[in-house]
Amino acid sequence: MAKPVLLTVDDDSDVLRAIERDLRSEYGADYRVIGSGSPEAALDLLKQLKARNDIVALLLADQRMPEMEGVMFLREGMQIFPDAKRALLTAYADTNAAISAINEANIHYFFMKPWDPPTEHLYPQLDDLLDDWRALYRPVFEGIRVLGTRWSPKSYELRDFLARNRVPYQWIDVELSANDPETKVVLQYLGPEAASLPVVLFPDGSRLLESVPAEVAQKVGLRTRAQTDFYDLAIVGGGPAGLAAAVYGASEGLKTVMIEKEAPGGQAGMSARIENYLGFPIGLSGGDLARRAVVQAQRFGVEILSPLEAVNLRTEGSYRFVRLADGNEISCHALMIATGVQWRRLEAPGVGRLQGAGVYYGGGAGDALSYKGETVYVVGGANSAGQAAINFAKHAERVVIVVRGSSLSSTMSQYLIDQIKQTPNIQIWAHASVAEVHGETHLEEISFLCSDTNKLERVQATAMFIFIGALPRTEWLANVLERDERGFILTGPDLIRDGQRPKGWSLERDPFLLETNVPGIFAVGDVRHGSVKRVASGVGEGSVAVQFIHQYLSKV
Ligand SMILES: Cc1cc2nc3c(=O)[nH]c(=O)nc-3n(C[C@H](O)[C@H](O)[C@H](O)COP(=O)(O)OP(=O)(O)OC[C@H]3O[C@@H](n4cnc5c(N)ncnc54)[C@H](O)[C@@H]3O)c2cc1C
C-alpha cells in the first residue's frame, strides 16, 4: 500500500523548504511528504490524490497566504479528506486568529513559527496527531468481519465490545446488505452456518459462530489470564481512576495488574467528547483518552486483563484475594477498587425485552453513524445525555431529549445547553417520561407520559438511548467493605464515627484518605462515597491513592 501523505502548504518558499526538510527527516520512512507553494494547487492535488485512492494523514498550512488563508485551505481540504489531521503554521502575532480558527474550523493544532528545535516544538505534537490519525484510520480492510443484524442484542453486544476495546472490524448487516454482491458471496460460502449469527470471520480463514465477546477476545489476543498469581497492586476497574492508578503504580515500581470486565476506558470511554479535561482545549473523545492511557500503562508494564470480571473478595492476614469470573484467583498486598458506576435501569414495560434491539443504556461514541437520517430519542437530562445528543445530531435527522423536568438548566452544564441550543436538529421534550416501549422483535414505538397534560403520547421510534443516572455495582464486596445505603464505598474520614475507627480495624492509625475499612484496600473514582463524578477527579484520586499505597506497603 502507498504511504499516507503529509501535505504542507506555504507560499514562502524558504519556509516551505524548511518544513518539508524537517517532516521528511522525521517521517519520511512512513509517510510521503509533499509540499506546495500555493493553496489552490494543493487543493487540486488533494483531488487527484483522492481519485487515485491515496490517503492523506496531515494537512499543514501556513495561515497568512495571499491567495487563500490557511484556515480556509484546511476547511476546503477537510471536505476532500475529512479524516486528515489539520494544523496551522502561524506567526506569534496570529495566535488569536489561530485560536478562533480551532473553534470555527475544527483545526487540531497550531504550530508557531519558527519551530526550532523541531524535536521540541514540532515532532512531539505531530507524533501525537499522527498517532491519533493512525488509531482511527482504517486502511483497506484486512481485519475481522462481523456478520449480524442490526436488531440483534447479541450482535450489538459484540460490536460494542469490539468498538470499546478498539479492535478494528468490518460490520456486515446481512439483512440490509443482502443484495450486496460481496455479502452474497460470504453468505454462500457460509451456507447453513450463516444462520448462527453473529458470525465472526478472521483474516486467517477461521470463524466463530454465535460469537460472544469472551471467545472473540481470546482469538484477537486480548489478555484474559493473569501471568502470575501475586501482585503488589491489583486494580479492579479500568476507567480513568483505575487507569491512572495503574500508570502511577507501575511507573513507581509496583508489580501491577488491572482487571476490567468490559473494556478499558470505563464510562469515559463512552463519551464522544470530553471538553473539561485539563490540557485538551478542543476536547478529546473518551475512546482517545482510554487508548492513550492503555498505551501508557502498558509501557510501564501493567498487566491488563480484559474482559474479565472480579466477583469476590476475601482477605487473609495482609493478603487480599480477588476471585475472577473464570474461577481463578489472584492475590495482592494492596487492592484498589475503581469499579465506577453503571447505568440505572429504566423501569417501564418492554424496556428489558427490547434492550439491545433499539433500546440501549448509554451510547458509545461510535453509535451515531448507525442512525443516519433517523430520529433518536435520548432519555435523561444530565451531561452524559447532552453529549450523546450532540453526537447523534451529527448524523441523525432529529434528536429528541426527553426530560421529566421543565428544562435542562438544573441538570446539565451550561456549555452543553448552549451547544444544544445551537444545534437545530435537537429538540427538548420536557415534562415527559417513558411509560412503555413497543415492538415485536425491535423497538417500533414509545409511549411517553406527559406530566403537564397527564396524557400518554405514542410515537414511532427505532432508537432510544437511556441516560438516567448510575449506581455502583458493589454487591460482591458487601461482606468485606463498608458501603453507604446506595452501595458507594466508604473511605478515610467517612469511616470514623464518634471518634471510633471502623470495626475490625487493627492498625495504630486512622484509615488513609482513600482507604476503606480494610487496611491496604483503597477505593477511588465514582465508586467512592462522596466522590466528584468527573474524569479529572477519578484520575486525581487514582494517582494520589498510589502514594498512600506506598506508605501502606512500607509497613506490611
Ligand atoms: C456519556 C458520558 C459522558 C461523560 N462526560 C464527561 C465529561 O465530559 N467530563 C467529565 O469530567 N466526566 C464525564 N463523564 C463522567 C466520567 O466519565 C466518570 O466520572 C469517570 O469515567 C469515572 O471514572 P471511574 O474510573 O471512577 O469509573 P468508570 O469510568 O465507571 O470505570 C469503571 C470501570 O470498572 C469496570 N468494572 C466494574 N465492575 C467491575 C468488576 N467487578 N470487575 C472488573 N471490572 C469492573 C467497568 O466495566 C468500568 O470500565 C461522562 C460519563 C458518561 C457516561
Side-chain angles (χ1 to χ4, degrees):
M1 197 184 70
K3 289 180 193 172
V5 169
L6 309 184
L7 178 70
T8 178
V9 191
D10 202 313
D11 63 321
D12 180 331
S13 55
D14 290 338
V15 178
L16 182 65
R17 260 198 305 278
I19 190 87
E20 275 189 81
R21 179 200 60 214
D22 286 348
L23 289 178
R24 222 164 256 137
S25 71
E26 183 69 11
Y27 301 109
D30 300 318
Y31 296 89
R32 190 155 44 115
V33 176
I34 303 180
S36 170
S38 135
E40 294 283 4
L43 287 173
D44 280 346
L45 179 69
L46 284 178
K47 286 175 196 152
Q48 285 174 35
L49 291 171
K50 187 81 188 177
R52 292 208 309 251
N53 218 9
D54 274 335
I55 308 296
V56 175
L58 174 78
L59 300 172
L60 175 60
D62 184 37
Q63 166 63 359
R64 272 202 199 181
M65 295 186 286
E67 212 176 290
M68 183 189 288
E69 280 196 341
V71 176
M72 182 61 75
F73 166 77
L74 293 176
R75 236 187 233 146
E76 304 241 330
M78 185 170 83
Q79 306 300 323
I80 307 170
F81 284 102
D83 296 332
K85 291 289 165 186
R86 299 173 290 279
L88 270 185
L89 263 183
T90 57
Y92 180 72
D94 293 331
T95 309
N96 283 343
I99 290 173
S100 39
I102 285 182
N103 294 328
E104 288 160 19
N106 261 321
I107 284 164
H108 298 107
Y109 205 80
F110 66 91
F111 294 93
M112 280 312 180
K113 288 192 279 190
W115 54 88
D116 282 326
T119 44
E120 255 178 56
H121 299 304
L122 186 67
Y123 298 151
Q125 298 81 350
L126 275 181
D127 284 348
D128 231 25
L129 287 179
L130 293 172
D131 277 354
D132 273 0
W133 177 81
R134 278 206 169 279
L136 296 176
Y137 162 64
R138 303 277 166 264
V140 181
F141 199 77
E142 291 166 355
I144 64 175
R145 284 175 295 167
V146 180
L147 279 77
T149 59
R150 178 181 174 182
W151 301 119
S152 143
K154 279 185 181 169
S155 299
Y156 180 79
E157 188 194 9
L158 187 59
R159 292 176 69 194
D160 188 48
F161 165 79
L162 292 170
R164 294 184 65 193
N165 279 285
R166 288 159 280 282
V167 177
Y169 71 94
Q170 186 181 35
W171 165 242
I172 301 173
D173 187 317
V174 293
E175 281 172 5
L176 288 182
S177 62
N179 294 327
D180 173 68
E182 265 182 59
T183 307
K184 277 186 184 163
V185 174
V186 176
L187 292 177
Q188 268 168 13
Y189 161 73
L190 284 173
E193 288 181 348
S196 308
L197 299 172
V199 174
V200 180
L201 305 172
F202 296 91
D204 63 3
S206 61
R207 57 188 174 272
L208 282 174
L209 306 178
E210 293 184 18
S211 320
V212 292
E215 284 171 356
V216 181
Q218 282 203 343
K219 187 88 181 133
V220 297
L222 293 174
R223 187 192 289 266
T224 53
R225 272 279 161 102
Q227 276 179 339
T228 161
D229 56 8
F230 181 79
Y231 296 85
D232 298 324
L233 169 62
I235 300 162
V236 182
L243 282 164
V247 166
Y248 277 83
S251 68
E252 292 170 16
L254 300 177
K255 185 161 177 47
T256 304
V257 65
M258 193 182 84
I259 301 142
E260 164 55 52
K261 76 172 169 152
E262 289 171 7
Q267 297 167 70
M270 300 168 78
S271 172
R273 194 158 169 197
I274 300 168
E275 299 202 46
N276 55 359
Y277 191 56
L278 186 70
F280 293 87
I282 52 170
L284 85 167
S285 74
D288 236 12
L289 182 67
R291 182 180 56 76
R292 287 163 189 246
V294 166
V295 172
Q296 204 172 4
Q298 285 170 333
R299 227 188 86 214
F300 288 121
V302 176
E303 210 179 301
I304 299 180
L305 306 181
S306 176
L308 191 57
E309 183 173 1
V311 291
N312 191 262
L313 169 64
R314 69 186 176 89
T315 65
E316 242 179 71
S318 65
Y319 294 99
R320 282 82 188 87
F321 294 85
V322 177
R323 181 161 292 283
L324 305 169
D326 64 1
N328 292 318
E329 195 173 57
I330 55 165
S331 61
C332 54
H333 272 319
L335 175 65
M336 178 104 60
I337 307 295
T339 47
V341 290
Q342 284 190 345
W343 296 108
R344 249 182 50 211
R345 302 282 118 177
L346 177 68
E347 301 298 338
V351 168
R353 189 171 52 82
L354 295 178
Q355 188 183 333
V359 174
Y360 308 98
Y361 285 93
D367 289 332
L369 251 178
S370 314
Y371 298 97
K372 206 166 176 190
E374 296 186 16
T375 298
V376 172
Y377 287 86
V378 171
V379 180
N383 282 359
S384 47
Q387 279 188 4
I390 291 165
N391 190 40
F392 284 125
K394 290 179 198 152
H395 301 284
E397 184 175 303
R398 196 167 67 108
V399 178
V400 183
I401 303 180
V402 182
V403 283
R404 282 171 183 270
S406 56
S407 72
L408 297 174
S409 58
S410 59
T411 49
M412 197 179 282
S413 295
Q414 193 57 42
Y415 78 92
L416 285 170
I417 297 180
D418 292 344
Q419 283 183 34
I420 287 170
K421 278 191 189 143
Q422 286 161 15
T423 313
N425 60 338
I426 301 184
Q427 290 165 8
I428 317 281
W429 188 350
H431 303 293
S433 53
V434 177
E436 186 171 356
V437 294
H438 317 269
E440 280 297 312
T441 55
H442 60 85
L443 179 68
E444 287 167 24
E445 289 178 312
I446 311 173
S447 293
F448 290 105
L449 177 63
C450 305
S451 60
D452 47 352
T453 57
N454 217 13
K455 286 198 176 134
L456 277 180
E457 272 202 47
R458 195 163 166 155
V459 296
Q460 290 195 339
T462 48
M464 177 172 93
F465 288 84
I466 305 165
F467 296 82
I468 54 164
L471 284 174
R473 296 270 179 267
T474 50
E475 297 78 16
W476 63 285
L477 300 163
N479 296 331
V480 185
L481 300 187
E482 285 194 28
R483 305 175 302 151
D484 68 12
E485 63 291 349
R486 294 199 296 154
F488 289 96
I489 300 173
L490 299 176
T491 52
D494 294 328
L495 291 159
I496 308 290
R497 290 186 203 96
D498 304 323
Q500 299 293 311
R501 290 173 182 150
K503 218 171 108 205
W505 184 263
S506 54
L507 304 181
E508 285 305 307
R509 60 163 177 84
D510 288 350
F512 290 129
L513 193 61
L514 301 164
E515 199 171 23
T516 66
N517 56 302
V518 179
I521 302 185
F522 294 77
V524 291
D526 282 12
V527 74
R528 194 178 66 77
H529 167 86
S531 62
V532 179
K533 310 282 184 286
R534 289 282 180 275
V535 173
S537 43
V539 167
E541 290 189 7
S543 322
V544 168
V546 171
Q547 296 314 311
F548 295 124
I549 286 174
H550 284 302
Q551 288 183 46
Y552 168 77
L553 291 176
S554 68
K555 302 239 167 75
V556 172

